[in-house]
């Protein structure tokens, strides 16, 4: 795993965008994308750039069950607002949160087929405070594929800042499995802030265990971790010099 430590989120996001731009210039066509506060600066860099997405396919990690693309808290809406409206892709895939209300198995199977038909060249990830990647919480099997995830109280609390009331936060999501994520040819994972420092340390220095889902990335041949100084604060000195 390559570890890049930058002074702040802005410079880290600039570095991440450079990696994506380079990968695309070298032939990447299918781009795995993430949502949340972590990639916002990266997407702004993308919007402000001259990069042309018109021949690219995007595949997002997840979507809340029960939210449609018009809901301003859905990941469809997030991606439209932060990237797709300004820089549309040839085709963009996000799980169907409405189909998943009554048939999460079909929503999962349909999305898994999309991933199988469009192997991901480079995947963007954020890192949860408990070591989750996408909505794959501690205890998720490393061989999991696209599935419905019941969100933990920790994740519901963390995401409640985006909703007017914690009771409005969906309780489940359709999410790429860890095996889907690991199938990407290249992975870029970002984490910022002191509240991510424990997860960063466990991901890099701890054992590979399903209790820290991101630890599986130790076994991937092409991963770049980009963090700020705060997120790096619990790492052994050898990683910070």
């Amino acid at each position: 795993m390559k570890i890049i430590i930058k002074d702040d989120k802005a410079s880290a996001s600039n570095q991440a965008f450079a990696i994506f731009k380079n990968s695309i210039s070298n032939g990447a066509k299918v781009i795995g994308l993430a949502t949340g506060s972590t990639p916002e600066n990266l997407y702004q860099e993308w919007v402000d750039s001259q990069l042309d997405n018109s021949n690219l396919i995007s595949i997002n990690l997840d979507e809340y069950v029960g939210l449609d693309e018009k809901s301003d808290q859905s990941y469809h809406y997030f991606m439209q607002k932060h990237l797709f409206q300004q820089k549309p892709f040839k085709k963009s895939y996000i799980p169907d949160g409405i189909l998943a209300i009554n048939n999460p198995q079909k929503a999962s199977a349909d999305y898994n087929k999309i991933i199988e038909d469009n192997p991901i060249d480079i995947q963007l990830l954020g890192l949860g405070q408990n070591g989750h990647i996408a909505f794959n919480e501690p205890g998720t099997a490393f061989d999991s594929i696209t599935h419905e995830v019941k969100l933990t109280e920790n994740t519901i609390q963390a995401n409640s800042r985006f909703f007017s009331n914690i009771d409005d936060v969906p309780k489940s999501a359709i999410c790429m499995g860890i095996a889907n994520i690991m199938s990407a040819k290249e992975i870029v994972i970002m984490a910022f802030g002191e509240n991510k420092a424990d997860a960063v340390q466990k991901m890099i220095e701890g054992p590979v265990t399903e209790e820290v889902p991101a630890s599986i990335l130790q076994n991937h041949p092409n991963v770049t971790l980009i963090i700020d100084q705060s997120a790096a604060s619990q790492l052994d000195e050898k990683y910070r010099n």
Side-chain angles (χ1 to χ4, degrees):
M1 185 182 297
K2 182 178 182 181
I3 301 169
I4 299 173
I5 302 174
K6 306 297 280 188
D7 286 338
D8 52 35
K9 180 178 179 179
S11 57
S13 299
N14 179 268
Q15 180 72 52
F17 177 67
I19 293 172
F20 275 84
K21 186 176 179 180
N22 182 66
S23 184
I24 291 166
S25 69
N26 287 327
K29 295 294 185 184
V30 182
I31 315 300
L33 298 177
T35 54
S37 58
T38 298
E40 286 184 1
N41 286 34
L42 166 61
Y43 292 153
Q44 190 59 54
E45 292 259 357
W46 206 312
V47 167
D48 293 340
S49 76
Q50 298 301 310
L51 193 60
D52 180 10
N53 296 346
S54 61
N55 288 319
L56 304 177
I57 293 171
S58 69
I59 302 181
N60 265 73
L61 288 166
D62 40 32
E63 177 61 283
Y64 288 119
V65 171
L67 298 190
D68 64 22
E69 59 189 58
K70 294 181 180 178
S71 168
D72 62 5
Q73 298 301 337
S74 72
Y75 289 162
H76 280 80
Y77 186 94
F78 177 97
M79 293 307 303
Q80 286 293 332
K81 176 182 177 181
H82 290 283
L83 184 61
F84 295 161
Q85 284 180 354
Q86 302 93 329
K87 292 281 188 177
F89 285 67
K90 179 171 71 174
K91 181 68 178 177
S92 290
Y93 295 103
I94 301 176
D96 189 334
I98 298 303
L99 173 61
I101 297 172
N102 296 315
N103 199 339
Q105 293 83 8
K106 178 170 172 50
S108 299
D110 288 353
Y111 207 65
N112 208 57
K113 183 66 164 57
I114 288 168
I115 299 166
E116 289 177 355
D117 291 346
N118 300 277
I120 296 169
D121 293 307
I122 179 169
Q123 175 70 56
L124 175 65
L125 296 175
L127 176 67
Q129 293 181 37
N130 61 1
H132 73 234
I133 44 178
F135 278 125
N136 293 296
E137 300 286 359
T140 303
F142 284 152
D143 63 356
S144 60
I145 55 176
T146 310
H147 58 296
E148 182 182 21
V149 177
K150 302 298 183 183
L151 305 186
T152 66
E153 284 303 313
N154 178 284
T155 296
I156 291 170
Q157 286 283 348
N159 289 352
S160 65
R161 68 188 188 276
F162 300 116
F163 293 80
S164 57
N165 189 308
I166 192 169
D167 293 333
D168 296 333
V169 183
K171 303 303 186 286
S172 66
I174 298 296
C175 177
M176 271 192 212
I178 293 175
N180 299 118
I181 292 169
M182 289 293 285
S183 72
K185 298 181 183 72
E186 180 177 4
I187 294 173
V188 175
I189 180 165
M190 301 195 296
F192 308 122
E194 190 174 355
N195 64 339
K196 300 294 179 72
D198 181 63
V200 167
Q201 188 275 330
K202 289 176 179 175
M203 175 179 68
I204 295 171
E205 299 178 11
V208 176
T209 169
E210 291 176 354
E211 292 309 306
V212 183
S215 67
I216 191 62
L217 298 177
Q218 294 179 32
N219 294 341
H220 193 283
N222 190 3
V223 176
T224 302
L225 169 66
I226 306 176
I227 51 181
D228 62 6
Q229 294 287 348
S230 295
S233 61
Q234 293 186 29
L235 287 177
D236 187 276
E237 199 69 29
K238 67 183 180 183
Y239 295 108
R240 295 191 279 126
N241 291 326

